[in-house]
Amino acid sequence: MKKLAVVMMLCAVLSMAGVSGCASGNGNTAKPSADSVTPEPAGKEAEQDSETTPVGAEQENKSAQEQEPGQKDVTDQGSSSSGKEGAAADGKAAEIQLTEAGKEFLRKMCYCLPEFSDPAEMDDEFWHEFIFLSYTGAWGDEEIEEVTREDLQMQEKVVKVSLEDMEAYVKLALGVDLPDYKPAFEDMSPGQTSCFYRDGYYYIGLSDFPDFTFTYQDGTLEGDDIYIVKYNTAFEGDENAGSVVFRVRPADNANGFVIVGKTVNR
C-alpha cells in the first residue's frame, strides 16, 4: 500500500509539472515591439482599419472627400497645403515633391513655354518660340556676345548657349530630346530679333517681356501619374487676368517632374 501511495503521489507531481510547463509556454508569448505596430492614419479613429485607400475607391479619408473627385494634392515641400497625398496608394502614381525651386521653374515656363497638349504639336514654330523665349530675357548668368546686324545697322546683344546646354535644358523641362532644329542666321527675316544656330551654339537676341506676373495657386493629381499645377496671372494691375495650367508627371531629374502640357486661360 505504501508503495502504491508513493507511486500515485509521484504521478500526481509529474502531471502537475507537465501542466505547469504548458501554461508557462503559452504565457510567455512575446508582444509586438513598438517598431512593428502599424500607426493609425491621421484623422481616423483608433478602431478603424489602418489600410490606405487607393485613388478612386469609395472609402477615402476626410481630407480627400473635400476635394474634387479623382484629385488629390501634390506633395508640396515648403508649403503647408498638401501633406503626403500626392501619390495613389495603389502604386500607380508616383509622388511629386513640388519644391520652391520646382515652383520657380514652372513660373519661368509661364513666360517661356508655348501652349501644347501633344508631342505632335512640337513643330519648328514651337521650338523656335521655346528657345527664343527661354533665353531672350537673360534670366541668369548666361554668356552675352554681340553680333553684327547690317539690316538693323547695329551690334545686337545676344545670349550664347551651347548645343549641349540646350539639349540638357529641353530634357529637364519636357523629358524629350531636342530635335535637329538649327535655324540659320541667313534665314532670319529683316529686323527679326536674333534666334539662330552657328558652330555648336544658339544665339538669342535680348528683349523684354510684357508686364505679366504669375503666382503659384495649387497642384492636384489628375490621373495615374499626371498632375495639374496652376498659376494665377496678373497684368498691369489686374490681379485676375487669367491663369496658366501645366500638366506634369513625375520624373527622375532635378525638378522631380517634366511638363507634358500647358494651357493659357485668358
Side-chain angles (χ1 to χ4, degrees):
M1 291 294 293
K2 289 184 179 181
K3 290 184 178 180
L4 179 60
V6 171
V7 171
M8 291 179 65
M9 184 179 296
L10 181 60
C11 290
V13 171
L14 292 175
S15 176
M16 290 175 64
V19 171
S20 176
C22 292
S24 175
N26 291 335
N28 288 338
T29 303
K31 294 182 179 180
S33 66
D35 292 340
S36 67
V37 176
T38 303
E40 290 294 335
K44 290 191 177 183
E45 298 298 330
E47 68 271 16
Q48 288 182 311
D49 193 295
S50 63
E51 290 185 1
T52 305
T53 306
V55 172
E58 294 181 358
Q59 298 297 326
E60 294 187 340
N61 61 36
K62 183 177 180 181
S63 63
Q65 290 173 344
E66 292 173 352
Q67 301 174 33
E68 295 181 12
Q71 292 188 335
K72 289 192 176 184
D73 287 341
V74 175
T75 298
D76 185 2
Q77 293 184 350
S79 172
S80 61
S81 63
S82 60
K84 293 185 177 180
E85 296 177 1
D90 58 5
K92 291 183 179 179
E95 188 175 88
I96 286 183
Q97 304 293 334
L98 190 57
T99 63
E100 292 301 319
K103 289 182 189 178
E104 180 61 22
F105 187 88
L106 288 175
R107 190 186 71 83
K108 179 184 175 183
M109 292 300 103
C110 290
Y111 293 97
C112 303
L113 183 63
E115 292 185 76
F116 78 104
S117 59
D118 190 300
E121 300 173 22
M122 296 179 180
D123 54 12
D124 284 353
E125 182 178 354
F126 172 92
W127 290 111
H128 179 93
E129 188 174 355
F130 184 41
I131 290 172
F132 177 77
L133 294 176
S134 292
Y135 290 94
T136 188
W139 303 88
D141 56 354
E142 291 92 349
E143 183 178 355
I144 306 296
E145 289 192 358
E146 291 186 350
V147 295
T148 301
R149 293 294 301 269
E150 294 181 358
D151 56 331
L152 298 174
Q153 297 183 347
M154 62 176 286
Q155 293 291 111
E156 183 185 18
K157 290 185 179 297
V158 296
V159 179
K160 181 180 179 181
V161 186
S162 70
L163 174 61
E164 292 77 14
D165 286 346
M166 189 68 75
E167 290 173 336
Y169 168 70
V170 168
K171 194 73 171 181
L172 173 65
L174 303 174
V176 300
D177 294 328
L178 176 68
D180 188 25
Y181 177 69
K182 298 174 180 176
F185 178 87
E186 294 75 19
D187 293 336
M188 291 194 305
S189 302
Q192 173 189 331
T193 303
S194 285
C195 184
F196 64 91
Y197 178 86
R198 177 187 293 167
D199 299 331
Y201 292 88
Y202 289 89
Y203 296 87
I204 300 98
L206 299 182
S207 60
D208 297 324
F209 287 93
D211 189 23
F212 285 99
T213 58
F214 303 96
T215 305
Y216 172 80
Q217 181 180 358
D218 58 37
T220 54
L221 175 63
E222 180 187 57
D224 282 350
D225 64 349
I226 300 297
Y227 292 81
I228 303 299
V229 183
K230 297 180 181 179
Y231 283 74
N232 289 332
T233 304
F235 180 67
E236 295 183 346
D238 183 0
E239 298 298 324
N240 297 299
S243 63
V244 178
V245 180
F246 294 100
R247 298 177 72 247
V248 303
R249 62 174 174 79
D252 185 16
N253 61 24
N255 287 331
F257 61 82
V258 292
I259 305 169
V260 295
K262 177 187 175 183
T263 302
V264 177
N265 300 315
R266 298 173 177 86

